[in-house]
Short mmCIF file of all heavy atoms in Angstrom, two decimals:
data_model
loop_
_atom_site.label_atom_id
_atom_site.label_comp_id
_atom_site.label_asym_id
_atom_site.label_seq_id
_atom_site.Cartn_x
_atom_site.Cartn_y
_atom_site.Cartn_z
N ALA C 602 -2.69 16.13 10.84
CA ALA C 602 -2.39 14.70 10.72
C ALA C 602 -2.48 14.23 9.27
O ALA C 602 -2.97 13.14 8.98
CB ALA C 602 -3.34 13.89 11.60
N GLY C 603 -2.00 15.05 8.37
CA GLY C 603 -1.96 14.67 6.95
C GLY C 603 -2.95 15.46 6.11
O GLY C 603 -4.07 15.72 6.55
N GLY C 604 -2.52 15.85 4.91
CA GLY C 604 -3.30 16.72 4.05
C GLY C 604 -4.16 15.98 3.04
O GLY C 604 -3.73 14.97 2.46
N PHE C 605 -5.36 16.51 2.82
CA PHE C 605 -6.31 15.98 1.84
C PHE C 605 -6.78 17.14 0.97
O PHE C 605 -6.48 18.31 1.22
CB PHE C 605 -7.49 15.31 2.55
CG PHE C 605 -7.11 14.05 3.27
CD1 PHE C 605 -6.43 14.11 4.48
CD2 PHE C 605 -7.40 12.80 2.74
CE1 PHE C 605 -6.04 12.94 5.15
CE2 PHE C 605 -7.02 11.63 3.40
CZ PHE C 605 -6.35 11.71 4.60
N ILE C 606 -7.56 16.84 -0.06
CA ILE C 606 -8.09 17.88 -0.94
C ILE C 606 -9.42 17.40 -1.48
O ILE C 606 -9.62 16.20 -1.70
CB ILE C 606 -7.08 18.18 -2.08
CG1 ILE C 606 -7.40 19.50 -2.77
CG2 ILE C 606 -7.05 17.03 -3.09
CD1 ILE C 606 -6.27 19.98 -3.68
N ASP C 607 -10.36 18.34 -1.65
CA ASP C 607 -11.66 17.91 -2.18
C ASP C 607 -11.68 18.07 -3.70
O ASP C 607 -10.72 18.53 -4.32
CB ASP C 607 -12.81 18.65 -1.49
CG ASP C 607 -13.10 20.03 -2.07
OD1 ASP C 607 -12.24 20.58 -2.79
OD2 ASP C 607 -14.19 20.57 -1.79
N LYS C 608 -12.80 17.70 -4.32
CA LYS C 608 -12.84 17.64 -5.78
C LYS C 608 -12.82 19.02 -6.43
O LYS C 608 -12.61 19.14 -7.63
CB LYS C 608 -14.08 16.87 -6.24
CG LYS C 608 -15.42 17.52 -5.90
CD LYS C 608 -16.55 16.67 -6.46
CE LYS C 608 -17.92 17.31 -6.18
NZ LYS C 608 -19.01 16.48 -6.76
N PHE C 609 -13.00 20.07 -5.61
CA PHE C 609 -12.93 21.43 -6.13
C PHE C 609 -11.62 22.13 -5.79
O PHE C 609 -11.48 23.33 -6.00
CB PHE C 609 -14.12 22.25 -5.62
CG PHE C 609 -15.45 21.70 -6.03
CD1 PHE C 609 -16.33 21.22 -5.08
CD2 PHE C 609 -15.81 21.64 -7.37
CE1 PHE C 609 -17.56 20.69 -5.46
CE2 PHE C 609 -17.03 21.12 -7.75
CZ PHE C 609 -17.91 20.64 -6.79
N GLY C 610 -10.69 21.38 -5.21
CA GLY C 610 -9.36 21.93 -4.94
C GLY C 610 -9.19 22.57 -3.59
O GLY C 610 -8.17 23.22 -3.35
N TYR C 611 -10.13 22.40 -2.67
CA TYR C 611 -9.99 22.97 -1.33
C TYR C 611 -9.19 22.01 -0.44
O TYR C 611 -9.62 20.88 -0.22
CB TYR C 611 -11.35 23.22 -0.68
CG TYR C 611 -12.10 24.39 -1.27
CD1 TYR C 611 -13.09 24.19 -2.24
CD2 TYR C 611 -11.84 25.69 -0.87
CE1 TYR C 611 -13.79 25.26 -2.78
CE2 TYR C 611 -12.53 26.77 -1.40
CZ TYR C 611 -13.50 26.54 -2.36
OH TYR C 611 -14.20 27.60 -2.89
N PRO C 612 -8.04 22.44 0.06
CA PRO C 612 -7.26 21.57 0.92
C PRO C 612 -7.76 21.58 2.36
O PRO C 612 -8.30 22.58 2.84
CB PRO C 612 -5.84 22.18 0.84
CG PRO C 612 -6.07 23.62 0.53
CD PRO C 612 -7.35 23.70 -0.25
N PHE C 613 -7.61 20.46 3.03
CA PHE C 613 -7.93 20.35 4.46
C PHE C 613 -7.09 19.23 5.04
O PHE C 613 -6.28 18.60 4.33
CB PHE C 613 -9.43 20.11 4.67
CG PHE C 613 -9.96 18.83 4.07
CD1 PHE C 613 -10.15 17.69 4.84
CD2 PHE C 613 -10.28 18.74 2.71
CE1 PHE C 613 -10.64 16.51 4.30
CE2 PHE C 613 -10.77 17.58 2.15
CZ PHE C 613 -10.95 16.46 2.94
N CYS C 614 -7.21 18.99 6.34
CA CYS C 614 -6.36 17.99 6.99
C CYS C 614 -7.19 17.11 7.92
O CYS C 614 -8.27 17.50 8.37
CB CYS C 614 -5.29 18.66 7.85
SG CYS C 614 -4.25 19.84 6.99
N ARG C 615 -6.66 15.96 8.21
CA ARG C 615 -7.18 15.22 9.36
C ARG C 615 -6.78 16.02 10.60
O ARG C 615 -5.60 16.28 10.83
CB ARG C 615 -6.56 13.82 9.44
CG ARG C 615 -6.97 12.90 8.33
CD ARG C 615 -6.77 11.44 8.66
NE ARG C 615 -5.39 11.16 9.05
CZ ARG C 615 -4.96 9.97 9.50
NH1 ARG C 615 -5.80 8.98 9.62
NH2 ARG C 615 -3.70 9.78 9.80
N GLY C 616 -7.77 16.45 11.36
CA GLY C 616 -7.49 17.25 12.54
C GLY C 616 -7.68 18.74 12.33
O GLY C 616 -7.68 19.51 13.30
N ARG C 617 -7.89 19.18 11.06
CA ARG C 617 -8.14 20.61 10.80
C ARG C 617 -8.90 20.77 9.50
O ARG C 617 -8.39 20.43 8.44
CB ARG C 617 -6.81 21.37 10.73
CG ARG C 617 -6.98 22.90 10.72
CD ARG C 617 -7.25 23.45 9.34
NE ARG C 617 -6.16 23.21 8.39
CZ ARG C 617 -6.23 23.46 7.09
NH1 ARG C 617 -7.36 23.92 6.56
NH2 ARG C 617 -5.20 23.19 6.30
N ILE C 618 -10.12 21.28 9.61
CA ILE C 618 -10.90 21.62 8.44
C ILE C 618 -11.27 23.10 8.56
O ILE C 618 -11.93 23.50 9.52
CB ILE C 618 -12.18 20.76 8.31
CG1 ILE C 618 -11.81 19.27 8.29
CG2 ILE C 618 -12.96 21.13 7.06
CD1 ILE C 618 -13.01 18.33 8.26
N PHE C 619 -10.81 23.90 7.60
CA PHE C 619 -10.98 25.35 7.65
C PHE C 619 -10.47 25.87 9.00
O PHE C 619 -9.31 25.63 9.34
CB PHE C 619 -12.43 25.76 7.35
CG PHE C 619 -12.83 25.45 5.93
CD1 PHE C 619 -13.75 24.45 5.65
CD2 PHE C 619 -12.27 26.14 4.87
CE1 PHE C 619 -14.10 24.15 4.34
CE2 PHE C 619 -12.62 25.86 3.56
CZ PHE C 619 -13.54 24.86 3.29
N TYR C 620 -11.31 26.54 9.79
CA TYR C 620 -10.85 27.11 11.06
C TYR C 620 -11.07 26.18 12.25
O TYR C 620 -10.72 26.50 13.38
CB TYR C 620 -11.57 28.45 11.34
CG TYR C 620 -13.07 28.36 11.24
CD1 TYR C 620 -13.84 27.80 12.27
CD2 TYR C 620 -13.73 28.83 10.12
CE1 TYR C 620 -15.20 27.71 12.18
CE2 TYR C 620 -15.11 28.75 10.02
CZ TYR C 620 -15.86 28.19 11.06
OH TYR C 620 -17.22 28.10 10.96
#
Side-chain angles (χ1 to χ4, degrees):
F605 292 76
I606 196 167
D607 83 343
K608 65 178 182 178
F609 299 115
Y611 287 98
F613 62 99
C614 305
R615 293 200 304 175
R617 191 276 298 172
I618 303 176
F619 293 110
Y620 52 77

